Amino acid sequence: EVQLVESGGGLVKPGGSLRLSCAASGFTFSTYSMTWVRQAPGKGLEWVSSITSTSAYIYYAASMKGRFTISRDNAKNSLFLQMNSLRAEDTAVYYCARVLGGTVLGSYYYYMDVWGKGTAVTVSS
Amino acid sequence: QSVLTQPPSASGTPGQRVTISCSGSSSDIGSNAVIWYQQLPGTAPKLLIYSNNQRPSGVPDRFSGSKSGTSASLAISGLQAEDEADYYCAAWDDSLNGFYVFGTGTKVTVL
């Protein structure tokens, strides 16, 4: 069964750090791009960061760039998100997801076909 | 980072057809494929439609997607109680500060 399981969430003070992990199973992790998406309480989905299969390309949303670092360990089928200088507005459920992307007739498709159940991060004093 | 615009809510009675719109720009929907995700209450999002109008295996054919210019639509025909959920459109964004943008989300209520 294809599965993604996030961990590492919790309560952290403003300015603090947290490292999220995502354990993948049931598919060849090293051949897929991966992404983190978050959802603040009662709010919509927000893309956070993506990493290609070999870590050659990494992308961040503007509001996370410089504070968050995405990485992966293909030998351990794991995805990570290091979050520093956390703010109250970073409070959210963080989902990891598998990505499929490519180009068809000049149009780029990019979507998440497998999602984890999420891990909750609360930034509060 | 720009977002795609959706109506906050939509509703219908069982069996009705409901349509959700998604408005973007030339750098996102206008240039790239539209995706739709369904999020049932208290659960993680689920892929519903990819590449504008393609359904993953297991998604009922009463869900359909379309795209025209810088807008897209999701239609649910034969609405069922289990379709009550939040629906999000998404697309890759080619603009300088964008990468992947989600819609604002639409809550579908089955009356």
Side-chain angles (χ1 to χ4, degrees):
Chain A
E1 180 194 3
V2 175
Q3 196 172 12
L4 297 170
V5 179
E6 303 93 337
S7 60
L11 175 63
V12 61
K13 289 182 168 53
S17 298
L18 213 53
R19 189 189 196 213
L20 306 183
S21 299
C22 172
S25 59
F27 65 99
T28 306
F29 178 75
S30 62
T31 64
Y32 287 88
S33 292
M34 299 293 294
T35 195
W36 288 97
V37 173
R38 71 182 185 182
Q39 186 170 35
K43 302 296 185 183
L45 301 174
E46 181 181 24
W47 173 76
V48 173
S49 179
S50 292
I51 185 168
T52 54
S53 59
T54 62
S55 305
Y57 295 95
I58 289 174
Y59 309 100
Y60 297 99
S63 59
M64 289 75 158
K65 200 167 185 178
R67 299 189 302 124
F68 290 9
T69 302
I70 192 172
S71 62
R72 63 191 297 162
D73 184 339
N74 286 343
K76 295 184 178 179
N77 293 334
S78 296
L79 176 72
F80 306 101
L81 186 67
Q82 177 68 41
M83 304 186 296
N84 298 329
S85 303
L86 284 163
R87 309 163 180 166
E89 53 265 36
D90 295 318
T91 294
V93 173
Y94 286 74
Y95 297 101
C96 75
R98 189 175 78 173
V99 172
L100 291 175
T103 303
V104 175
L105 299 177
S107 176
Y108 193 63
Y109 64 90
Y110 193 92
Y111 59 91
M112 296 78 170
D113 70 330
V114 178
W115 294 69
K117 293 184 178 182
T119 186
V121 172
T122 302
V123 184
S124 174
S125 55
Chain B
Q1 188 172 346
S2 61
V3 297
L4 307 176
T5 302
Q6 299 178 233
S9 63
S11 62
T13 57
Q16 275 190 328
R17 175 183 171 92
V18 170
T19 301
I20 301 168
S21 62
C22 174
S23 178
S25 68
S26 58
S27 65
D28 41 63
I29 293 178
S31 302
N32 301 304
V34 177
I35 316 303
W36 291 91
Y37 300 97
Q38 177 194 58
Q39 188 175 32
L40 297 170
T43 69
K46 168 193 166 186
L47 178 65
L48 193 66
I49 297 286
Y50 66 96
S51 295
N52 304 324
N53 54 18
Q54 302 299 302
R55 285 185 308 276
S57 173
V59 172
D61 60 4
R62 53 201 181 75
F63 291 95
S64 62
S66 64
K67 170 183 148 178
S68 179
T70 59
S71 295
S73 294
L74 174 72
I76 310 173
S77 58
L79 190 66
Q80 298 184 7
E82 59 261 36
D83 298 334
E84 187 159 292
D86 293 322
Y87 293 84
Y88 295 90
C89 59
W92 186 266
D93 182 359
D94 291 334
S95 68
L96 184 63
N97 294 317
F99 287 110
Y100 197 72
V101 288
F102 284 99
T104 49
T106 299
K107 169 68 176 178
V108 168
T109 301
V110 182
L111 302 171

